[in-house]
Amino acid sequence: MQESTFESMESSPPGVGSDEAEALTAEQAIANLQGADLGLRFYAAWWLGRFRVRDEAAIQALIAALEDEADQTEAGGYPLRRNAARALGKLGDRRAVPVLIQSLSCSDHYVREAAAQSLQALGDSACVPALLNLLATGLQGEQLVPNQPDLSQPYDAILEAVGALRAAHAISHVKPFLEHPTERIQYAAIRAMYQLTHEAAYGEQLVQALKSPSLQLRRTVLADLGAIGYLPAAAAIAQTQAENSLKLIALKGLLEEQLQHTTPPALSAGAINVMTLMDELL
Amino acid sequence: MADLSILIRAVEEADSASLLTRAVQNLAAVGLEAAVPTLIAALSYNNPGAAVAAVDGLVTIGQAAVPALLEQLDQHNYTARSWTIRALAGIGDPRGLVTLLGGATADFSPSVRRAAARGLGVMKWQWFPDDLLEIAQAEALEALLFVAQQDEEWVVRYAAVVGLQALAATLTATDPDGRSQIQAQFEKMAIDDESWAVRARILMAQQQIQAKTSYLLLQPPEEQASPLSAVDWQMILESLYRRKGQERLMLSEGDPRSYQAMAVAIAQETNPPH
């Protein structure tokens, strides 16, 4: 499914005007990605993802960029690899899966996070064992490792990916993270548990979180509810204190879930209810 | 009822984002015309919570807020401008028509485009004089068809479908041709549009048009007569023509432009030249 700029809230990297972005061509971006100028390479990787360039040459160049050694920050980060991993998630080519799985063991936390997010987007279950191995690094048996909060791994991105991939055998790995002290990670676990068990209690926990005093958490939970398509949340989503854009995206997730159970032109009562709420938020 | 001046002072003295939001919500809830300047000021505070509350309050106040909103459009603060367009879309006052036409088709921000597209469908068409109604609806139809076909954001195309559905309901008697253009556009998009949500909204529009059950029509029609003056209509007409970039050659009997001489005279009496 193609997501629009509106859905991903993508923006240009700082200092890049949209005119400049439009001015690049696919050929030029692919050439820049393989050039010597690190700034141009970093920008080209972002650009190829942003403008959905699915050329063979673009895919191959981005896959190669995942193993780049030239672009490193003083702290040991790999900016180009991060952008390449993010772009490959947007291009929908499953040939990127093996090399993204390798990126899950990169020394850079943000490369691991981008790889987990892109593997989720590509929807290939081949990555589940590697994702579970990463979750296991935070576990001792059926408990979280002591000395919490453990933020050594991008647990929220990993939990969301195993939930989205419906890896039912992942439940025992996911469940301990319900106790994680970091809300972001806790709610990612709740979302994954709903996707793996379909127990309404998890959906209701997310609905309750829409009343949280933290705007950032409310935004996260809106995205979670949209991702799981939890219909009983519809009215609470419409009423929560957050931007209408985000409420509309969440309700769209509920609507799409409803549409899976009917054949056009039939619409379920749930779908009609959700659309009526959406109309009011435009 | 709380004293309005206390509510206004609470907005002016709020020293945190959340206090400001709450103060604007309280002021907006009263829905009195005297609150308009303070609510409009809240559109420029760069506080989305306060701006949403202010827009709600301005929409509740309705047409009395329109002159001040149109004045606000001339300011160079883009964020305030976009909230202003959202308020005009919510009010549906004909004086905002040309602004909404531009907002739906050309604004940089998807949230402005979607609000304007919905607003074009639910204009207060019942206020328009007959001749002007035809021109105005033709423009709204053209803009909405354009947005439904072209906009790259699903949410803006979705809003255009909502606008077209409302417009189809008002075109029944006046413009059967425009109505069938809307139906044809829906049939095409029901198959072609890449977004499930947009396709589903089209199904709902088609079913509601057929059953005449749209909740958009369930809102009680306003009994109120148009508060607009001949000068207002004259300005609306002229801005429409400017937008069109072409004059219609035939002036039929009762064409609003036959008011022109009178309108100019009235305008000179009531608004001395600046």
Side-chain angles (χ1 to χ4, degrees), chain A residues 41-161:
Chain A
R41 292 182 72 193
F42 175 78
Y43 177 58
W46 171 84
W47 193 92
L48 291 169
R50 165 67 184 79
F51 292 101
R52 306 293 189 273
V53 180
R54 293 185 172 82
D55 292 15
E56 181 66 19
I59 304 284
Q60 295 305 343
L62 286 166
I63 286 176
L66 276 181
E67 299 182 326
D68 167 79
E69 289 291 352
D71 189 6
Q72 260 211 70
T73 64
E74 282 173 28
Y78 290 97
L80 175 62
R81 292 190 192 186
R82 296 172 194 170
N83 270 5
R86 289 176 194 132
L88 285 165
K90 294 193 175 105
L91 299 183
D93 191 318
R94 289 194 172 190
R95 282 174 303 174
V97 169
V99 67
L100 284 169
I101 290 174
Q102 279 174 15
S103 299
L104 289 175
S105 49
C106 179
S107 58
D108 177 356
H109 183 280
Y110 296 102
V111 172
R112 298 198 297 277
E113 178 177 66
Q117 287 166 342
S118 288
L119 285 164
Q120 177 188 336
L122 293 175
D124 187 327
S125 302
C127 63
V128 170
L131 292 169
L132 293 187
N133 283 341
L134 280 187
L135 285 183
T137 59
L139 299 175
Q140 282 182 346
E142 301 201 346
Q143 301 279 318
L144 296 177
V145 292
N147 303 326
Q148 289 295 332
D150 165 23
L151 299 171
S152 60
Q153 297 292 351
Y155 290 118
D156 48 349
I158 300 163
L159 290 161
E160 284 177 16

Side-chain angles (χ1 to χ4, degrees), chain B residues 178-249:
Chain B
R179 209 182 139 92
S180 50
Q181 276 185 350
I182 293 175
Q183 307 268 34
Q185 177 70 27
F186 282 173
E187 277 163 36
K188 187 172 176 315
M189 285 173 78
I191 299 163
D192 285 353
D193 200 281
E194 66 176 29
S195 160
W196 285 27
V198 173
R199 295 204 301 271
R201 188 61 187 78
I202 286 171
L203 292 178
M204 181 161 120
Q206 288 171 324
Q207 289 165 18
Q208 291 184 333
I209 288 173
Q210 193 133 36
K212 298 197 170 68
T213 58
S214 169
Y215 68 91
L216 292 164
L217 302 177
L218 297 179
Q219 297 160 356
E222 289 194 42
E223 293 305 319
Q224 189 193 11
S226 159
L228 273 58
S229 68
V231 181
D232 289 324
W233 292 117
Q234 182 60 35
M235 286 171 68
I236 292 169
L237 182 70
E238 282 177 6
S239 59
L240 269 175
Y241 281 131
R242 261 201 307 280
R243 182 180 156 81
K244 255 287 188 252
Q246 57 185 53
E247 289 284 325
R248 297 193 176 193
L249 295 175

Side-chain angles (χ1 to χ4, degrees), chain A residues 2 4-7 241 244-245 248 252 255-256 259-260 264-265 267 272 275-276 278-282, chain B residues 25 86 110-111 114-115 118 152-155 158-159 162 194-197 200-201 203-204 207 215 219:
Chain A
Q2 190 172 344
S4 68
T5 53
F6 168 75
E7 288 174 73
Q241 293 281 329
N244 281 6
S245 305
L248 283 160
K252 174 172 176 258
L255 173 59
E256 287 174 346
L259 297 174
Q260 309 224 7
L267 291 170
I272 290 171
M275 287 190 277
T276 306
M278 286 170 74
D279 289 2
E280 291 301 317
L281 295 167
L282 292 169
Chain B
Q25 282 169 340
R86 291 186 61 81
S111 65
R114 76 178 191 237
R118 181 175 187 267
E152 61 182 13
E153 300 291 354
W154 71 268
V155 76
Y158 180 106
V162 175
E194 66 176 29
S195 160
W196 285 27
R201 188 61 187 78
L203 292 178
M204 181 161 120
Q207 289 165 18
Y215 68 91
Q219 297 160 356

